[in-house]
Structures are given as structure tokens and as C-alpha cells.
Amino acid sequence: MQGENKNIVLILLVLALFTGATIELSEGSTIIGIVLFIMAALLISRIKLTGENSALKNSKTYLFAGLFIMAAVTVFNLATRSSIGTLDSMTFLIGASLLAIGTARKDMRQLGEFGLYISVVFTALYLVFYTFFGLFNIDFVHLFNHYFVLMPTVSLLKFTGIPVEIVAIETITLYGIKETMTIIIGGPCSGLYSMFLLIGIVAAYSRIERIQLKKSLMILLFAVCVAYIANLVRVFTLYVVAYYYGMETMMVFHTHLGWILFAGTAGLIMYIMNRKDLLRK
């Protein structure tokens, strides 16, 4: 049991570090992002999954495909001098996962399969909700931000007596103690990224540890609900920080609070999924 708890902690740390690296690279410090990526890579080798076999056997094809994808993402961002975004990070993770699958070590192949499930599921959901819907002018993300993020958090603010006014579908005016601020809900503030990641985690862990489909679907629904509530807590907390301490302080919390909360959420999900009675032996 001690080994299982250690396994949960390691997976939690890797997910937290990787998510933090992604956010830091896109919104915060590039140096911190790189350091977090390196730390995550070092911890990956310490994780021991209990699944007996990886569905994907090691092959030089996976090895070279992974190297090509990782190099392509790196060269593209250097050539265009663009910042590393969320989709770039996930594509890079796909390459790194294929590289791990292509190695001869069983534990690395399992972790590669784990990472591949997460990154492919996230990328597929991202392309559907952010790219595909956009091509057909389906305003899903903006409507989701308004009705499922902005409206509930504004209601909480009003309930606590903090003066706030909705001025647009994703914009509020917050009358803080130090300043009046216009705050826009958008991008990662929707919490969809966390949901996509957790869906990928559930899919990966369920497949590798052979958890029954019915139980996997129940955990998936639970994961989405927890991710949604955790994001509401995050956005509400950011509003409160902005109200008391101003926009500048709120932006510092904005960069770091999201992935720290995600670590706690992912840890809860991993704990539930790692319970003995959920594994089909």
C-alpha cells in the first residue's frame, strides 16, 4: 500500500509540473517553464505502473516519429519566433510519448502510452471545441464562459457583497478597494483545459490499469464535475484577490493558482482510481 501511495504522489507531481510548465511557457516565465519540464521528466522514471503490458510494442517507427514531432514543434516555434502555446505543448508531449514507446524499457513504454492517451485526448477535444466549432461559427467557448463561469462567479461575488457589474458576454467591471478593474474571462479561465487533461488522465489510467468501463465512466463524470467546481473556486478567488489587492497582484495569482489547483484535483482523481476495488484483476 505504501508503494501505491508513492505512485500516486509521483504521478500527481509529474502532472502538476507538466501543467505548470505549460502555463508558465504560455503566460508566465519561460525559464520557470523549462525548469518545471525538466523536473517532470526526471520524476517520470520513478513512476511504476502496475499494468502488465503496454498495448503498443516498442518499435523504431515510434522512436523516429517521436523525435520528428518534437523537432518539428521546436523548429516551428523558433522559426516563427512564436511563444509555446497549449497546443504546441500537447503536440510536443505526443512526440515525447511516442519516443518513450519506441524504447526497449517496459516502464518507459507504459509511461509513453500513458502520456500518449493524455495528449491525444486533450488535442482531439481542443480541436473539436476550439477549432472545429469555430469553423462553423459555433460560439461554444464564449457561451460556456458566460453561462457556466462568469454568471456563477458573479453571483457568488454579489452574495459576498463585492460590487461587480457584467458589461459583456465575458467581461465584468469589478469595483475594487484600490481600483476599478475591467476583467475578461477567456482562454484557460473557462476550465476546459483542466477538464480535457483530466479526461485524458482517466482514459489513460483506465486503459493501462484495466479498470472496468462502467467504473471508468463514473470516474470520468466525477472528474469533469470536480474540475468544473475547482475552476469556479479559482476564478472566484482571483476576483477576491483583485478586489482587495488590485489587478497586478491578481495576475501573479492567475499564472500560478490554476495549475496548483489542478494538481490537487488530479491527485484526488488518481487516489480514487488507484483504489484496489476499482481495478479489474
Side-chain angles (χ1 to χ4, degrees):
M1 195 66 182
Q2 184 178 359
E4 291 179 3
N5 291 334
K6 180 181 178 182
N7 195 48
I8 295 172
V9 171
L10 287 174
I11 292 174
L12 167 59
L13 287 173
V14 170
L15 291 172
L17 290 170
F18 177 76
T19 308
T22 302
I23 295 174
E24 291 289 350
L25 287 170
S26 60
E27 300 179 18
S29 167
T30 302
I31 295 176
I32 294 177
I34 293 173
V35 170
L36 292 177
F37 260 124
I38 294 173
M39 292 173 64
L42 292 174
L43 282 176
I44 282 177
S45 62
R46 304 293 302 276
I47 299 174
K48 304 296 181 183
L49 296 172
T50 60
E52 295 181 0
N53 294 296
S54 170
L56 302 174
K57 304 302 180 182
N58 66 301
S59 167
K60 290 184 178 179
T61 302
Y62 294 126
L63 192 69
F64 290 124
L67 287 171
F68 175 79
I69 292 173
M70 293 167 67
V73 173
T74 303
V75 170
F76 174 80
N77 280 276
L78 289 175
T80 58
R81 296 181 179 181
S82 57
S83 59
I84 299 176
T86 303
L87 198 57
D88 294 321
S89 300
M90 285 299 154
T91 305
F92 192 88
L93 180 59
I94 290 175
S97 300
L98 290 172
L99 177 64
I101 293 170
T103 63
R105 291 181 53 180
K106 176 186 174 181
D107 56 344
M108 291 302 295
R109 294 202 308 273
Q110 286 183 321
L111 289 171
E113 186 178 357
F114 190 85
L116 188 63
Y117 274 109
I118 294 175
S119 52
V120 168
V121 168
F122 183 99
T123 303
L125 292 172
Y126 182 96
L127 291 175
V128 169
F129 288 98
Y130 284 86
T131 304
F132 181 77
F133 280 7
L135 293 176
F136 292 92
N137 295 320
I138 300 175
D139 206 13
F140 171 81
V141 176
H142 296 303
L143 292 174
F144 181 90
N145 287 342
H146 178 75
Y147 289 106
F148 291 95
V149 181
L150 186 145
M151 293 293 289
T153 51
V154 166
S155 297
L156 286 173
L157 288 174
K158 290 181 177 179
F159 178 77
T160 57
I162 294 178
V164 61
E165 180 183 0
I166 299 175
V167 296
I169 188 171
E170 294 177 299
T171 308
I172 66 167
T173 297
L174 183 66
Y175 301 97
I177 294 176
K178 293 185 176 182
E179 57 181 314
T180 298
M181 295 153 283
T182 298
I183 302 176
I184 300 175
I185 295 290
C189 292
S190 65
L192 291 174
Y193 289 177
S194 296
M195 290 185 192
F196 295 168
L197 280 171
L198 287 174
I199 291 171
I201 291 169
V202 172
Y205 207 71
S206 297
R207 174 63 186 85
I208 294 174
E209 300 293 356
R210 304 185 186 281
I211 298 176
Q212 296 175 3
L213 178 61
K214 181 179 179 180
K215 293 180 179 179
S216 296
L217 293 175
M218 291 174 61
I219 295 171
L220 181 62
L221 178 61
F222 176 73
V224 170
C225 292
V226 170
Y228 173 70
I229 294 172
N231 185 64
L232 290 184
V233 171
R234 182 181 77 91
V235 174
F236 177 74
T237 302
L238 291 174
Y239 285 157
V240 172
V241 170
Y243 173 74
Y244 284 105
Y245 303 104
M247 179 69 79
E248 186 175 348
T249 303
M250 186 270 283
M251 291 307 298
V252 174
F253 276 78
H254 180 273
T255 301
H256 306 289
L257 183 60
W259 67 269
I260 293 172
L261 272 178
F262 171 77
T265 304
L268 176 63
I269 303 302
M270 293 303 300
Y271 173 77
I272 292 173
M273 296 187 70
N274 208 58
R275 287 179 55 188
K276 280 288 187 182
D277 58 348
L278 286 178
L279 303 182
R280 184 177 65 187
K281 299 299 184 182

